[in-house]
PDB file of all heavy atoms in Angstrom:
ATOM      1  N   LEU A 276      -1.202  -3.091   4.887  1.00 98.00           N
ATOM      2  CA  LEU A 276      -1.033  -2.673   3.500  1.00 98.00           C
ATOM      3  C   LEU A 276       0.210  -3.311   2.895  1.00 98.00           C
ATOM      4  O   LEU A 276       0.181  -3.794   1.757  1.00 98.00           O
ATOM      5  CB  LEU A 276      -0.969  -1.151   3.391  1.00 98.00           C
ATOM      6  CG  LEU A 276      -0.718  -0.584   1.993  1.00 98.00           C
ATOM      7  CD1 LEU A 276      -1.805  -1.030   1.017  1.00 98.00           C
ATOM      8  CD2 LEU A 276      -0.629   0.939   2.058  1.00 98.00           C
ATOM      9  N   GLU A 277       1.283  -3.321   3.650  1.00 97.00           N
ATOM     10  CA  GLU A 277       2.519  -3.932   3.163  1.00 97.00           C
ATOM     11  C   GLU A 277       2.308  -5.412   2.845  1.00 97.00           C
ATOM     12  O   GLU A 277       2.751  -5.906   1.803  1.00 97.00           O
ATOM     13  CB  GLU A 277       3.629  -3.757   4.195  1.00 97.00           C
ATOM     14  CG  GLU A 277       4.985  -4.198   3.720  1.00 97.00           C
ATOM     15  CD  GLU A 277       6.071  -3.847   4.712  1.00 97.00           C
ATOM     16  OE1 GLU A 277       5.926  -4.189   5.899  1.00 97.00           O
ATOM     17  OE2 GLU A 277       7.065  -3.241   4.290  1.00 97.00           O
ATOM     18  N   THR A 278       1.608  -6.112   3.708  1.00 97.00           N
ATOM     19  CA  THR A 278       1.322  -7.528   3.475  1.00 97.00           C
ATOM     20  C   THR A 278       0.453  -7.706   2.233  1.00 97.00           C
ATOM     21  O   THR A 278       0.704  -8.599   1.414  1.00 97.00           O
ATOM     22  CB  THR A 278       0.626  -8.139   4.705  1.00 97.00           C
ATOM     23  OG1 THR A 278       1.488  -7.995   5.836  1.00 97.00           O
ATOM     24  CG2 THR A 278       0.322  -9.601   4.495  1.00 97.00           C
ATOM     25  N   ALA A 279      -0.553  -6.862   2.078  1.00 97.00           N
ATOM     26  CA  ALA A 279      -1.413  -6.938   0.901  1.00 97.00           C
ATOM     27  C   ALA A 279      -0.616  -6.654  -0.372  1.00 97.00           C
ATOM     28  O   ALA A 279      -0.822  -7.317  -1.403  1.00 97.00           O
ATOM     29  CB  ALA A 279      -2.575  -5.956   1.028  1.00 97.00           C
ATOM     30  N   MET A 280       0.301  -5.700  -0.304  1.00 98.00           N
ATOM     31  CA  MET A 280       1.123  -5.380  -1.467  1.00 98.00           C
ATOM     32  C   MET A 280       2.049  -6.543  -1.820  1.00 98.00           C
ATOM     33  O   MET A 280       2.290  -6.812  -2.999  1.00 98.00           O
ATOM     34  CB  MET A 280       1.909  -4.096  -1.225  1.00 98.00           C
ATOM     35  CG  MET A 280       1.035  -2.858  -1.191  1.00 98.00           C
ATOM     36  SD  MET A 280       1.891  -1.360  -0.674  1.00 98.00           S
ATOM     37  CE  MET A 280       3.113  -1.185  -1.958  1.00 98.00           C
ATOM     38  N   GLU A 281       2.561  -7.226  -0.796  1.00 97.00           N
ATOM     39  CA  GLU A 281       3.428  -8.380  -1.046  1.00 97.00           C
ATOM     40  C   GLU A 281       2.648  -9.533  -1.665  1.00 97.00           C
ATOM     41  O   GLU A 281       3.210 -10.356  -2.378  1.00 97.00           O
ATOM     42  CB  GLU A 281       4.081  -8.843   0.254  1.00 97.00           C
ATOM     43  CG  GLU A 281       5.126  -7.901   0.778  1.00 97.00           C
ATOM     44  CD  GLU A 281       5.592  -8.228   2.184  1.00 97.00           C
ATOM     45  OE1 GLU A 281       5.058  -9.179   2.796  1.00 97.00           O
ATOM     46  OE2 GLU A 281       6.487  -7.523   2.677  1.00 97.00           O
ATOM     47  N   ASN A 282       1.355  -9.614  -1.382  1.00 96.00           N
ATOM     48  CA  ASN A 282       0.482 -10.677  -1.893  1.00 96.00           C
ATOM     49  C   ASN A 282      -0.546 -10.110  -2.859  1.00 96.00           C
ATOM     50  O   ASN A 282      -1.719 -10.489  -2.814  1.00 96.00           O
ATOM     51  CB  ASN A 282      -0.214 -11.380  -0.721  1.00 96.00           C
ATOM     52  CG  ASN A 282       0.784 -11.965   0.239  1.00 96.00           C
ATOM     53  OD1 ASN A 282       1.600 -12.782  -0.137  1.00 96.00           O
ATOM     54  ND2 ASN A 282       0.738 -11.519   1.483  1.00 96.00           N
ATOM     55  N   CYS A 283      -0.115  -9.228  -3.736  1.00 96.00           N
ATOM     56  CA  CYS A 283      -1.046  -8.501  -4.603  1.00 96.00           C
ATOM     57  C   CYS A 283      -1.896  -9.420  -5.477  1.00 96.00           C
ATOM     58  O   CYS A 283      -3.070  -9.141  -5.701  1.00 96.00           O
ATOM     59  CB  CYS A 283      -0.296  -7.483  -5.452  1.00 96.00           C
ATOM     60  SG  CYS A 283       0.991  -8.166  -6.503  1.00 96.00           S
ATOM     61  N   THR A 284      -1.340 -10.537  -5.924  1.00 96.00           N
ATOM     62  CA  THR A 284      -2.119 -11.416  -6.798  1.00 96.00           C
ATOM     63  C   THR A 284      -3.292 -12.063  -6.060  1.00 96.00           C
ATOM     64  O   THR A 284      -4.321 -12.337  -6.670  1.00 96.00           O
ATOM     65  CB  THR A 284      -1.234 -12.506  -7.431  1.00 96.00           C
ATOM     66  OG1 THR A 284      -0.556 -13.216  -6.394  1.00 96.00           O
ATOM     67  CG2 THR A 284      -0.226 -11.895  -8.383  1.00 96.00           C
ATOM     68  N   SER A 285      -3.152 -12.281  -4.755  1.00 95.00           N
ATOM     69  CA  SER A 285      -4.261 -12.866  -4.009  1.00 95.00           C
ATOM     70  C   SER A 285      -5.412 -11.875  -3.830  1.00 95.00           C
ATOM     71  O   SER A 285      -6.532 -12.269  -3.492  1.00 95.00           O
ATOM     72  CB  SER A 285      -3.793 -13.394  -2.654  1.00 95.00           C
ATOM     73  OG  SER A 285      -3.444 -12.336  -1.799  1.00 95.00           O
ATOM     74  N   TYR A 286      -5.145 -10.607  -4.088  1.00 96.00           N
ATOM     75  CA  TYR A 286      -6.183  -9.586  -4.034  1.00 96.00           C
ATOM     76  C   TYR A 286      -6.706  -9.253  -5.436  1.00 96.00           C
ATOM     77  O   TYR A 286      -7.533  -8.367  -5.607  1.00 96.00           O
ATOM     78  CB  TYR A 286      -5.655  -8.314  -3.368  1.00 96.00           C
ATOM     79  CG  TYR A 286      -5.536  -8.430  -1.868  1.00 96.00           C
ATOM     80  CD1 TYR A 286      -4.356  -8.872  -1.277  1.00 96.00           C
ATOM     81  CD2 TYR A 286      -6.605  -8.109  -1.035  1.00 96.00           C
ATOM     82  CE1 TYR A 286      -4.250  -8.984   0.106  1.00 96.00           C
ATOM     83  CE2 TYR A 286      -6.502  -8.210   0.333  1.00 96.00           C
ATOM     84  CZ  TYR A 286      -5.326  -8.655   0.897  1.00 96.00           C
ATOM     85  OH  TYR A 286      -5.226  -8.765   2.259  1.00 96.00           O
ATOM     86  N   GLY A 287      -6.146  -9.941  -6.431  1.00 96.00           N
ATOM     87  CA  GLY A 287      -6.606  -9.722  -7.796  1.00 96.00           C
ATOM     88  C   GLY A 287      -5.905  -8.599  -8.529  1.00 96.00           C
ATOM     89  O   GLY A 287      -6.418  -8.095  -9.533  1.00 96.00           O
ATOM     90  N   TYR A 288      -4.744  -8.195  -8.042  1.00 97.00           N
ATOM     91  CA  TYR A 288      -3.994  -7.115  -8.678  1.00 97.00           C
ATOM     92  C   TYR A 288      -2.668  -7.645  -9.199  1.00 97.00           C
ATOM     93  O   TYR A 288      -2.099  -8.584  -8.652  1.00 97.00           O
ATOM     94  CB  TYR A 288      -3.752  -5.964  -7.697  1.00 97.00           C
ATOM     95  CG  TYR A 288      -5.021  -5.241  -7.335  1.00 97.00           C
ATOM     96  CD1 TYR A 288      -5.749  -5.612  -6.214  1.00 97.00           C
ATOM     97  CD2 TYR A 288      -5.491  -4.208  -8.126  1.00 97.00           C
ATOM     98  CE1 TYR A 288      -6.937  -4.958  -5.892  1.00 97.00           C
ATOM     99  CE2 TYR A 288      -6.673  -3.548  -7.800  1.00 97.00           C
ATOM    100  CZ  TYR A 288      -7.389  -3.928  -6.693  1.00 97.00           C
ATOM    101  OH  TYR A 288      -8.543  -3.297  -6.382  1.00 97.00           O
ATOM    102  N   ALA A 289      -2.177  -7.007 -10.253  1.00 97.00           N
ATOM    103  CA  ALA A 289      -0.943  -7.460 -10.889  1.00 97.00           C
ATOM    104  C   ALA A 289       0.310  -6.894 -10.237  1.00 97.00           C
ATOM    105  O   ALA A 289       1.389  -7.456 -10.384  1.00 97.00           O
ATOM    106  CB  ALA A 289      -0.956  -7.082 -12.377  1.00 97.00           C
ATOM    107  N   SER A 290       0.165  -5.799  -9.502  1.00 97.00           N
ATOM    108  CA  SER A 290       1.358  -5.173  -8.920  1.00 97.00           C
ATOM    109  C   SER A 290       1.055  -4.599  -7.542  1.00 97.00           C
ATOM    110  O   SER A 290      -0.102  -4.268  -7.238  1.00 97.00           O
ATOM    111  CB  SER A 290       1.865  -4.047  -9.825  1.00 97.00           C
ATOM    112  OG  SER A 290       0.962  -2.958  -9.797  1.00 97.00           O
ATOM    113  N   PRO A 291       2.100  -4.447  -6.735  1.00 97.00           N
ATOM    114  CA  PRO A 291       1.904  -3.820  -5.415  1.00 97.00           C
ATOM    115  C   PRO A 291       1.380  -2.390  -5.524  1.00 97.00           C
ATOM    116  O   PRO A 291       0.582  -1.953  -4.698  1.00 97.00           O
ATOM    117  CB  PRO A 291       3.308  -3.841  -4.803  1.00 97.00           C
ATOM    118  CG  PRO A 291       4.030  -4.916  -5.528  1.00 97.00           C
ATOM    119  CD  PRO A 291       3.460  -4.939  -6.913  1.00 97.00           C
ATOM    120  N   GLU A 292       1.815  -1.684  -6.551  1.00 97.00           N
ATOM    121  CA  GLU A 292       1.369  -0.301  -6.738  1.00 97.00           C
ATOM    122  C   GLU A 292      -0.134  -0.239  -6.983  1.00 97.00           C
ATOM    123  O   GLU A 292      -0.800   0.702  -6.560  1.00 97.00           O
ATOM    124  CB  GLU A 292       2.126   0.358  -7.897  1.00 97.00           C
ATOM    125  CG  GLU A 292       3.592   0.583  -7.622  1.00 97.00           C
ATOM    126  CD  GLU A 292       4.441  -0.681  -7.734  1.00 97.00           C
ATOM    127  OE1 GLU A 292       4.018  -1.654  -8.413  1.00 97.00           O
ATOM    128  OE2 GLU A 292       5.522  -0.710  -7.121  1.00 97.00           O
ATOM    129  N   ALA A 293      -0.674  -1.248  -7.672  1.00 98.00           N
ATOM    130  CA  ALA A 293      -2.117  -1.288  -7.927  1.00 98.00           C
ATOM    131  C   ALA A 293      -2.896  -1.497  -6.629  1.00 98.00           C
ATOM    132  O   ALA A 293      -3.970  -0.906  -6.441  1.00 98.00           O
ATOM    133  CB  ALA A 293      -2.444  -2.389  -8.934  1.00 98.00           C
ATOM    134  N   VAL A 294      -2.358  -2.300  -5.726  1.00 98.00           N
ATOM    135  CA  VAL A 294      -2.993  -2.489  -4.417  1.00 98.00           C
ATOM    136  C   VAL A 294      -2.969  -1.181  -3.641  1.00 98.00           C
ATOM    137  O   VAL A 294      -3.976  -0.760  -3.064  1.00 98.00           O
ATOM    138  CB  VAL A 294      -2.297  -3.611  -3.613  1.00 98.00           C
ATOM    139  CG1 VAL A 294      -2.836  -3.676  -2.191  1.00 98.00           C
ATOM    140  CG2 VAL A 294      -2.462  -4.950  -4.305  1.00 98.00           C
ATOM    141  N   ARG A 295      -1.815  -0.522  -3.635  1.00 98.00           N
ATOM    142  CA  ARG A 295      -1.688   0.761  -2.932  1.00 98.00           C
ATOM    143  C   ARG A 295      -2.659   1.784  -3.514  1.00 98.00           C
ATOM    144  O   ARG A 295      -3.304   2.525  -2.777  1.00 98.00           O
ATOM    145  CB  ARG A 295      -0.250   1.270  -3.005  1.00 98.00           C
ATOM    146  CG  ARG A 295      -0.001   2.429  -2.058  1.00 98.00           C
ATOM    147  CD  ARG A 295       1.428   2.876  -2.057  1.00 98.00           C
ATOM    148  NE  ARG A 295       1.693   3.592  -3.291  1.00 98.00           N
ATOM    149  CZ  ARG A 295       2.805   3.486  -3.994  1.00 98.00           C
ATOM    150  NH1 ARG A 295       3.764   2.702  -3.600  1.00 98.00           N
ATOM    151  NH2 ARG A 295       2.963   4.175  -5.098  1.00 98.00           N
ATOM    152  N   ALA A 296      -2.811   1.804  -4.835  1.00 98.00           N
ATOM    153  CA  ALA A 296      -3.740   2.736  -5.474  1.00 98.00           C
ATOM    154  C   ALA A 296      -5.182   2.423  -5.075  1.00 98.00           C
ATOM    155  O   ALA A 296      -5.969   3.342  -4.815  1.00 98.00           O
ATOM    156  CB  ALA A 296      -3.574   2.678  -6.991  1.00 98.00           C
ATOM    157  N   ALA A 297      -5.530   1.148  -5.022  1.00 98.00           N
ATOM    158  CA  ALA A 297      -6.899   0.758  -4.638  1.00 98.00           C
ATOM    159  C   ALA A 297      -7.198   1.173  -3.202  1.00 98.00           C
ATOM    160  O   ALA A 297      -8.273   1.707  -2.915  1.00 98.00           O
ATOM    161  CB  ALA A 297      -7.080  -0.746  -4.809  1.00 98.00           C
ATOM    162  N   VAL A 298      -6.253   0.937  -2.308  1.00 98.00           N
ATOM    163  CA  VAL A 298      -6.450   1.332  -0.904  1.00 98.00           C
ATOM    164  C   VAL A 298      -6.499   2.852  -0.798  1.00 98.00           C
ATOM    165  O   VAL A 298      -7.301   3.405  -0.039  1.00 98.00           O
ATOM    166  CB  VAL A 298      -5.368   0.723   0.003  1.00 98.00           C
ATOM    167  CG1 VAL A 298      -5.452   1.278   1.418  1.00 98.00           C
ATOM    168  CG2 VAL A 298      -5.489  -0.793   0.022  1.00 98.00           C
ATOM    169  N   GLY A 299      -5.682   3.538  -1.559  1.00 97.00           N
ATOM    170  CA  GLY A 299      -5.722   4.992  -1.577  1.00 97.00           C
ATOM    171  C   GLY A 299      -7.083   5.524  -1.998  1.00 97.00           C
ATOM    172  O   GLY A 299      -7.616   6.456  -1.400  1.00 97.00           O
ATOM    173  N   ARG A 300      -7.665   4.899  -3.026  1.00 97.00           N
ATOM    174  CA  ARG A 300      -9.011   5.310  -3.460  1.00 97.00           C
ATOM    175  C   ARG A 300     -10.031   5.074  -2.357  1.00 97.00           C
ATOM    176  O   ARG A 300     -10.895   5.924  -2.115  1.00 97.00           O
ATOM    177  CB  ARG A 300      -9.417   4.545  -4.723  1.00 97.00           C
ATOM    178  CG  ARG A 300      -8.814   5.091  -5.992  1.00 97.00           C
ATOM    179  CD  ARG A 300      -9.452   4.480  -7.226  1.00 97.00           C
ATOM    180  NE  ARG A 300      -9.304   3.028  -7.285  1.00 97.00           N
ATOM    181  CZ  ARG A 300      -8.249   2.382  -7.776  1.00 97.00           C
ATOM    182  NH1 ARG A 300      -7.223   3.084  -8.238  1.00 97.00           N
ATOM    183  NH2 ARG A 300      -8.216   1.066  -7.802  1.00 97.00           N
ATOM    184  N   LEU A 301      -9.920   3.930  -1.688  1.00 98.00           N
ATOM    185  CA  LEU A 301     -10.863   3.635  -0.608  1.00 98.00           C
ATOM    186  C   LEU A 301     -10.742   4.631   0.544  1.00 98.00           C
ATOM    187  O   LEU A 301     -11.732   4.977   1.187  1.00 98.00           O
ATOM    188  CB  LEU A 301     -10.648   2.212  -0.090  1.00 98.00           C
ATOM    189  CG  LEU A 301     -11.045   1.096  -1.048  1.00 98.00           C
ATOM    190  CD1 LEU A 301     -10.539  -0.243  -0.538  1.00 98.00           C
ATOM    191  CD2 LEU A 301     -12.552   1.070  -1.249  1.00 98.00           C
ATOM    192  N   ARG A 302      -9.519   5.083   0.796  1.00 97.00           N
ATOM    193  CA  ARG A 302      -9.298   6.059   1.874  1.00 97.00           C
ATOM    194  C   ARG A 302      -9.454   7.501   1.402  1.00 97.00           C
ATOM    195  O   ARG A 302      -9.287   8.439   2.177  1.00 97.00           O
ATOM    196  CB  ARG A 302      -7.888   5.872   2.464  1.00 97.00           C
ATOM    197  CG  ARG A 302      -7.750   4.620   3.297  1.00 97.00           C
ATOM    198  CD  ARG A 302      -6.311   4.424   3.758  1.00 97.00           C
ATOM    199  NE  ARG A 302      -5.862   5.395   4.724  1.00 97.00           N
ATOM    200  CZ  ARG A 302      -5.766   5.169   6.031  1.00 97.00           C
ATOM    201  NH1 ARG A 302      -6.084   3.982   6.518  1.00 97.00           N
ATOM    202  NH2 ARG A 302      -5.322   6.096   6.835  1.00 97.00           N
ATOM    203  N   ARG A 303      -9.688   7.650   0.094  1.00 97.00           N
ATOM    204  CA  ARG A 303      -9.773   8.981  -0.530  1.00 97.00           C
ATOM    205  C   ARG A 303      -8.495   9.765  -0.321  1.00 97.00           C
ATOM    206  O   ARG A 303      -8.508  10.953   0.049  1.00 97.00           O
ATOM    207  CB  ARG A 303     -10.994   9.736  -0.030  1.00 97.00           C
ATOM    208  CG  ARG A 303     -12.266   9.035  -0.414  1.00 97.00           C
ATOM    209  CD  ARG A 303     -13.470   9.823  -0.079  1.00 97.00           C
ATOM    210  NE  ARG A 303     -14.632   9.129  -0.646  1.00 97.00           N
ATOM    211  CZ  ARG A 303     -15.816   9.186  -0.132  1.00 97.00           C
ATOM    212  NH1 ARG A 303     -16.039   9.902   0.931  1.00 97.00           N
ATOM    213  NH2 ARG A 303     -16.806   8.534  -0.686  1.00 97.00           N
ATOM    214  N   GLN A 304      -7.393   9.058  -0.564  1.00 96.00           N
ATOM    215  CA  GLN A 304      -6.060   9.657  -0.474  1.00 96.00           C
ATOM    216  C   GLN A 304      -5.299   9.328  -1.744  1.00 96.00           C
ATOM    217  O   GLN A 304      -5.588   8.328  -2.414  1.00 96.00           O
ATOM    218  CB  GLN A 304      -5.267   9.069   0.700  1.00 96.00           C
ATOM    219  CG  GLN A 304      -5.763   9.442   2.059  1.00 96.00           C
ATOM    220  CD  GLN A 304      -4.889   8.815   3.128  1.00 96.00           C
ATOM    221  OE1 GLN A 304      -5.171   7.713   3.577  1.00 96.00           O
ATOM    222  NE2 GLN A 304      -3.850   9.503   3.523  1.00 96.00           N
ATOM    223  N   LEU A 305      -4.312  10.135  -2.045  1.00 96.00           N
ATOM    224  CA  LEU A 305      -3.422   9.805  -3.148  1.00 96.00           C
ATOM    225  C   LEU A 305      -2.581   8.598  -2.748  1.00 96.00           C
ATOM    226  O   LEU A 305      -2.127   8.521  -1.596  1.00 96.00           O
ATOM    227  CB  LEU A 305      -2.501  10.976  -3.469  1.00 96.00           C
ATOM    228  CG  LEU A 305      -3.152  12.216  -4.052  1.00 96.00           C
ATOM    229  CD1 LEU A 305      -2.137  13.344  -4.149  1.00 96.00           C
ATOM    230  CD2 LEU A 305      -3.734  11.895  -5.423  1.00 96.00           C
ATOM    231  N   PRO A 306      -2.359   7.666  -3.660  1.00 95.00           N
ATOM    232  CA  PRO A 306      -1.536   6.500  -3.330  1.00 95.00           C
ATOM    233  C   PRO A 306      -0.141   6.887  -2.830  1.00 95.00           C
ATOM    234  O   PRO A 306       0.401   6.241  -1.949  1.00 95.00           O
ATOM    235  CB  PRO A 306      -1.456   5.735  -4.645  1.00 95.00           C
ATOM    236  CG  PRO A 306      -2.651   6.160  -5.418  1.00 95.00           C
ATOM    237  CD  PRO A 306      -2.921   7.578  -5.004  1.00 95.00           C
ATOM    238  N   SER A 307       0.399   7.964  -3.359  1.00 95.00           N
ATOM    239  CA  SER A 307       1.730   8.398  -2.942  1.00 95.00           C
ATOM    240  C   SER A 307       1.756   8.833  -1.482  1.00 95.00           C
ATOM    241  O   SER A 307       2.801   8.738  -0.820  1.00 95.00           O
ATOM    242  CB  SER A 307       2.232   9.538  -3.830  1.00 95.00           C
ATOM    243  OG  SER A 307       1.320  10.622  -3.781  1.00 95.00           O
ATOM    244  N   SER A 308       0.620   9.266  -0.948  1.00 94.00           N
ATOM    245  CA  SER A 308       0.590   9.690   0.456  1.00 94.00           C
ATOM    246  C   SER A 308       0.682   8.502   1.412  1.00 94.00           C
ATOM    247  O   SER A 308       1.008   8.676   2.588  1.00 94.00           O
ATOM    248  CB  SER A 308      -0.662  10.508   0.752  1.00 94.00           C
ATOM    249  OG  SER A 308      -1.811   9.685   0.680  1.00 94.00           O
ATOM    250  N   LEU A 309       0.405   7.306   0.928  1.00 97.00           N
ATOM    251  CA  LEU A 309       0.491   6.112   1.774  1.00 97.00           C
ATOM    252  C   LEU A 309       1.928   5.639   1.951  1.00 97.00           C
ATOM    253  O   LEU A 309       2.216   4.852   2.853  1.00 97.00           O
ATOM    254  CB  LEU A 309      -0.359   4.986   1.179  1.00 97.00           C
ATOM    255  CG  LEU A 309      -1.825   5.326   0.902  1.00 97.00           C
ATOM    256  CD1 LEU A 309      -2.535   4.131   0.319  1.00 97.00           C
ATOM    257  CD2 LEU A 309      -2.521   5.827   2.141  1.00 97.00           C
ATOM    258  N   VAL A 310       2.811   6.123   1.111  1.00 95.00           N
ATOM    259  CA  VAL A 310       4.213   5.704   1.167  1.00 95.00           C
ATOM    260  C   VAL A 310       4.867   6.121   2.483  1.00 95.00           C
ATOM    261  O   VAL A 310       5.705   5.394   3.016  1.00 95.00           O
ATOM    262  CB  VAL A 310       4.991   6.266  -0.046  1.00 95.00           C
ATOM    263  CG1 VAL A 310       6.477   5.991   0.066  1.00 95.00           C
ATOM    264  CG2 VAL A 310       4.440   5.672  -1.330  1.00 95.00           C
ATOM    265  N   THR A 311       4.486   7.242   3.030  1.00 92.00           N
ATOM    266  CA  THR A 311       5.072   7.715   4.286  1.00 92.00           C
ATOM    267  C   THR A 311       4.890   6.699   5.402  1.00 92.00           C
ATOM    268  O   THR A 311       5.841   6.365   6.107  1.00 92.00           O
ATOM    269  CB  THR A 311       4.457   9.072   4.692  1.00 92.00           C
ATOM    270  OG1 THR A 311       4.695  10.004   3.648  1.00 92.00           O
ATOM    271  CG2 THR A 311       5.070   9.581   5.976  1.00 92.00           C
ATOM    272  N   ALA A 312       3.691   6.201   5.555  1.00 94.00           N
ATOM    273  CA  ALA A 312       3.431   5.198   6.596  1.00 94.00           C
ATOM    274  C   ALA A 312       4.202   3.914   6.325  1.00 94.00           C
ATOM    275  O   ALA A 312       4.749   3.300   7.250  1.00 94.00           O
ATOM    276  CB  ALA A 312       1.939   4.908   6.692  1.00 94.00           C
ATOM    277  N   LEU A 313       4.275   3.516   5.060  1.00 96.00           N
ATOM    278  CA  LEU A 313       5.018   2.302   4.710  1.00 96.00           C
ATOM    279  C   LEU A 313       6.502   2.445   5.046  1.00 96.00           C
ATOM    280  O   LEU A 313       7.119   1.546   5.625  1.00 96.00           O
ATOM    281  CB  LEU A 313       4.847   1.973   3.222  1.00 96.00           C
ATOM    282  CG  LEU A 313       3.464   1.507   2.799  1.00 96.00           C
ATOM    283  CD1 LEU A 313       3.347   1.491   1.280  1.00 96.00           C
ATOM    284  CD2 LEU A 313       3.159   0.144   3.378  1.00 96.00           C
ATOM    285  N   LYS A 314       7.073   3.578   4.706  1.00 93.00           N
ATOM    286  CA  LYS A 314       8.496   3.808   4.999  1.00 93.00           C
ATOM    287  C   LYS A 314       8.749   3.885   6.501  1.00 93.00           C
ATOM    288  O   LYS A 314       9.765   3.394   6.986  1.00 93.00           O
ATOM    289  CB  LYS A 314       8.984   5.082   4.305  1.00 93.00           C
ATOM    290  CG  LYS A 314       9.144   4.914   2.819  1.00 93.00           C
ATOM    291  CD  LYS A 314       9.707   6.171   2.188  1.00 93.00           C
ATOM    292  CE  LYS A 314       9.921   5.982   0.699  1.00 93.00           C
ATOM    293  NZ  LYS A 314      10.494   7.174   0.075  1.00 93.00           N
ATOM    294  N   ALA A 315       7.838   4.510   7.216  1.00 94.00           N
ATOM    295  CA  ALA A 315       7.999   4.617   8.670  1.00 94.00           C
ATOM    296  C   ALA A 315       7.962   3.238   9.320  1.00 94.00           C
ATOM    297  O   ALA A 315       8.780   2.932  10.202  1.00 94.00           O
ATOM    298  CB  ALA A 315       6.912   5.514   9.257  1.00 94.00           C
ATOM    299  N   VAL A 316       7.053   2.388   8.882  1.00 95.00           N
ATOM    300  CA  VAL A 316       6.967   1.034   9.445  1.00 95.00           C
ATOM    301  C   VAL A 316       8.204   0.221   9.079  1.00 95.00           C
ATOM    302  O   VAL A 316       8.730  -0.514   9.910  1.00 95.00           O
ATOM    303  CB  VAL A 316       5.665   0.335   8.990  1.00 95.00           C
ATOM    304  CG1 VAL A 316       5.741  -1.165   9.149  1.00 95.00           C
ATOM    305  CG2 VAL A 316       4.510   0.865   9.804  1.00 95.00           C
ATOM    306  N   ARG A 317       8.687   0.363   7.866  1.00 94.00           N
ATOM    307  CA  ARG A 317       9.904  -0.360   7.467  1.00 94.00           C
ATOM    308  C   ARG A 317      11.097   0.072   8.316  1.00 94.00           C
ATOM    309  O   ARG A 317      11.924  -0.750   8.697  1.00 94.00           O
ATOM    310  CB  ARG A 317      10.188  -0.142   5.985  1.00 94.00           C
ATOM    311  CG  ARG A 317       9.199  -0.882   5.110  1.00 94.00           C
ATOM    312  CD  ARG A 317       9.437  -0.619   3.644  1.00 94.00           C
ATOM    313  NE  ARG A 317       8.328  -1.180   2.863  1.00 94.00           N
ATOM    314  CZ  ARG A 317       7.832  -0.625   1.781  1.00 94.00           C
ATOM    315  NH1 ARG A 317       8.342   0.504   1.309  1.00 94.00           N
ATOM    316  NH2 ARG A 317       6.832  -1.186   1.137  1.00 94.00           N
ATOM    317  N   PHE A 318      11.169   1.370   8.615  1.00 93.00           N
ATOM    318  CA  PHE A 318      12.238   1.861   9.480  1.00 93.00           C
ATOM    319  C   PHE A 318      12.128   1.231  10.867  1.00 93.00           C
ATOM    320  O   PHE A 318      13.121   0.765  11.429  1.00 93.00           O
ATOM    321  CB  PHE A 318      12.181   3.386   9.588  1.00 93.00           C
ATOM    322  CG  PHE A 318      13.148   3.959  10.591  1.00 93.00           C
ATOM    323  CD1 PHE A 318      14.477   4.107  10.286  1.00 93.00           C
ATOM    324  CD2 PHE A 318      12.711   4.335  11.847  1.00 93.00           C
ATOM    325  CE1 PHE A 318      15.371   4.628  11.207  1.00 93.00           C
ATOM    326  CE2 PHE A 318      13.588   4.855  12.786  1.00 93.00           C
ATOM    327  CZ  PHE A 318      14.928   5.005  12.461  1.00 93.00           C
ATOM    328  N   LEU A 319      10.919   1.206  11.412  1.00 93.00           N
ATOM    329  CA  LEU A 319      10.726   0.600  12.737  1.00 93.00           C
ATOM    330  C   LEU A 319      11.031  -0.894  12.714  1.00 93.00           C
ATOM    331  O   LEU A 319      11.598  -1.423  13.673  1.00 93.00           O
ATOM    332  CB  LEU A 319       9.296   0.839  13.230  1.00 93.00           C
ATOM    333  CG  LEU A 319       8.951   2.271  13.624  1.00 93.00           C
ATOM    334  CD1 LEU A 319       7.482   2.382  13.981  1.00 93.00           C
ATOM    335  CD2 LEU A 319       9.830   2.757  14.757  1.00 93.00           C
ATOM    336  N   GLN A 320      10.682  -1.577  11.633  1.00 94.00           N
ATOM    337  CA  GLN A 320      10.965  -3.004  11.537  1.00 94.00           C
ATOM    338  C   GLN A 320      12.468  -3.281  11.615  1.00 94.00           C
ATOM    339  O   GLN A 320      12.883  -4.235  12.259  1.00 94.00           O
ATOM    340  CB  GLN A 320      10.421  -3.586  10.226  1.00 94.00           C
ATOM    341  CG  GLN A 320       8.927  -3.746  10.203  1.00 94.00           C
ATOM    342  CD  GLN A 320       8.410  -4.128   8.837  1.00 94.00           C
ATOM    343  OE1 GLN A 320       8.954  -3.738   7.815  1.00 94.00           O
ATOM    344  NE2 GLN A 320       7.323  -4.889   8.823  1.00 94.00           N
TER     345      GLN A 320
END
C-alpha cells in the first residue's frame, strides 16, 4: 500500500490519500483504519 501511495499517478490517482481510500473501499474498511498498519511498518523500517 505504501508503494502504491508513493506511485499514485501510476494507479490513476492524483493523491496518496485517494489510493488509500480506494484500497479501503476494496477491503470494506475506512481509509483511516489503514493508517495503523502504515505507521507500524514505517516504525519497523
Side-chain angles (χ1 to χ4, degrees):
L276 177 59
E277 187 173 52
T278 301
M280 290 172 62
E281 289 170 357
N282 301 302
C283 58
T284 55
S285 69
Y286 284 91
Y288 292 93
S290 70
E292 292 77 22
V294 172
R295 192 176 74 220
V298 172
R300 281 191 300 275
L301 291 169
R302 288 175 69 102
R303 297 187 173 151
Q304 291 181 269
L305 292 173
S307 58
S308 68
L309 306 180
V310 173
T311 301
L313 290 168
K314 287 183 178 181
V316 161
R317 288 177 189 144
F318 173 79
L319 289 175
Q320 286 172 327

